Amino acid sequence: MHTEALAAFRDNYIWLIRPDANDPRTLVVDPGDAAPVIGALERGGLELRGILVTHHHSDHVGGIRELLQWWQAKHPADEPPVWGPAAEAIPARTQAMRQGDGFSPTGWPLRLEVLEVPGHTLGHIAYVATALQGEEPPSLFCGDTLFSAGCGRLFEGTPAQMHHSLNKLSQLPENTTVNCAHEYTLSNLQFARAADPLNEAVVAHQKRCLALRAKGLPTLPSHIGLEKQINPFLRTDQPGVLQALEQHKGQKPGDAVQALAWLREWKNDFKG
Ligand SMILES: [Zn+2]
């Protein structure tokens, strides 16, 4: 499986998935803007074989129709499928996906499984891509639910829903790559320094990411094992995070859901 992050807008990533680097067949994840995708497909002589959508926000769906129109102007008989969450209104969606749904794009040695991960939006889904041949680690495409060292804002869902969703993602195999939809890692790590102050893995990863960003490179993909070490939103049961929360709020959180709620509120107001 070959994946590539296309930069879009200010800090979005649109992910491309191909069977391997020499294969032109391409799936596009969350094309909020068509222009960078069309540019990449034209440059690489790539073929649009389908679109995967995680949630309804415009920076994830805004380019779907234009991308399909561009492709169909050249291939009128072709109708690339658009997979998207069943519980949200997604432009041009052809396949409504729910928890546990699995599928293989026609002729690909690839299996995609759907996880419902509400919180950022109510119908938000994530895709886990697994190659059917070889020993490659699975790849998670998690939209705005899990970011490296952070999580999405709770625009529609509750802290309990987000807590459950993050738990679900943290149970994936540790080598699962995490392909997030935004380059938020450095600001998230700055918050992680405050929320998990004794965690040396955060400091070490911040150093690596500063070096990557200085060269204009993405800090992604991450992987689940690393996120469990550095992401305070996956570490709300850890003494260091609980202590920092208690200091910040002046009292101990009652349970893990409250800890996540307080952590998310703290991050919303955090100025590094
Ligand atoms: Zn969003």
Side-chain angles (χ1 to χ4, degrees):
M1 189 177 355
H2 177 82
T3 60
E4 181 188 349
L6 301 179
F9 305 115
R10 222 170 79 90
D11 50 30
N12 281 69
Y13 287 129
I14 299 169
W15 290 90
L16 304 185
I17 311 173
R18 288 150 65 193
D20 62 62
N22 299 315
D23 195 311
R25 295 174 295 174
T26 306
L27 299 176
V28 180
V29 185
D30 285 351
D33 188 4
V37 181
I38 292 171
L41 296 182
E42 277 183 336
R43 271 195 310 279
L46 305 179
E47 300 167 6
L48 180 65
R49 290 303 178 95
I51 296 172
L52 303 171
V53 180
T54 62
H55 69 294
H56 68 86
H57 285 159
S58 63
D59 61 325
H60 296 251
V61 304
I64 294 175
R65 287 192 195 282
E66 191 187 334
L67 183 56
L68 289 171
Q69 277 161 11
W70 166 80
W71 181 252
Q72 285 167 338
K74 301 194 297 177
H75 307 87
D78 229 24
E79 287 180 31
V82 178
W83 293 275
E88 295 189 352
I90 304 296
R93 184 188 63 205
T94 59
Q95 322 287 328
M97 308 308 290
R98 295 184 183 282
Q99 171 70 36
D101 285 346
F103 59 99
S104 288
T106 313
W108 284 41
L110 181 77
R111 173 96 183 145
L112 285 138
E113 304 269 353
V114 172
L115 301 174
E116 286 179 353
V117 285
H120 177 70
T121 64
L122 282 174
H124 201 303
I125 60 174
Y127 299 87
V128 181
T130 308
L132 297 175
Q133 295 152 7
E135 303 281 303
E136 269 181 274
S139 292
L140 169 68
F141 298 88
C142 47
D144 288 352
T145 298
L146 177 64
F147 295 122
S148 185
C151 75
R153 284 176 186 259
L154 299 178
F155 285 125
E156 297 175 13
T158 62
Q161 284 176 318
M162 183 55 106
H163 182 252
H164 186 249
S165 296
L166 293 176
N167 258 343
K168 208 185 256 190
L169 298 181
S170 72
Q171 280 158 30
L172 292 167
E174 298 226 328
N175 65 355
T176 306
T177 64
V178 177
N179 304 271
C180 323
H182 287 274
E183 180 60 68
Y184 289 161
T185 314
L186 283 181
S187 74
N188 286 341
L189 284 166
Q190 227 174 339
F191 175 69
R193 293 284 301 263
D196 197 358
L198 304 176
N199 187 339
E200 287 174 14
V202 169
V203 181
H205 194 55
Q206 190 180 35
K207 248 182 225 159
R208 282 196 292 273
C209 290
L210 281 167
L212 286 168
R213 295 307 290 151
K215 291 186 213 155
L217 296 171
T219 60
L220 303 171
S222 179
H223 60 273
I224 292 291
L226 175 63
E227 291 307 313
K228 284 161 128 177
Q229 288 175 24
I230 62 158
N231 191 324
F233 293 90
L234 301 182
R235 296 171 57 79
T236 50
D237 57 344
Q238 295 294 309
V241 175
L242 289 169
Q243 233 168 47
L245 263 182
E246 188 181 343
Q247 263 175 17
H248 177 70
K249 289 288 281 191
Q251 54 179 316
K252 281 189 187 10
D255 58 22
V257 170
Q258 189 166 51
L260 181 90
W262 286 1
L263 204 57
R264 189 55 259 184
E265 284 167 17
W266 184 5
K267 173 71 166 71
N268 291 348
D269 302 330
F270 186 76
K271 310 264 185 301

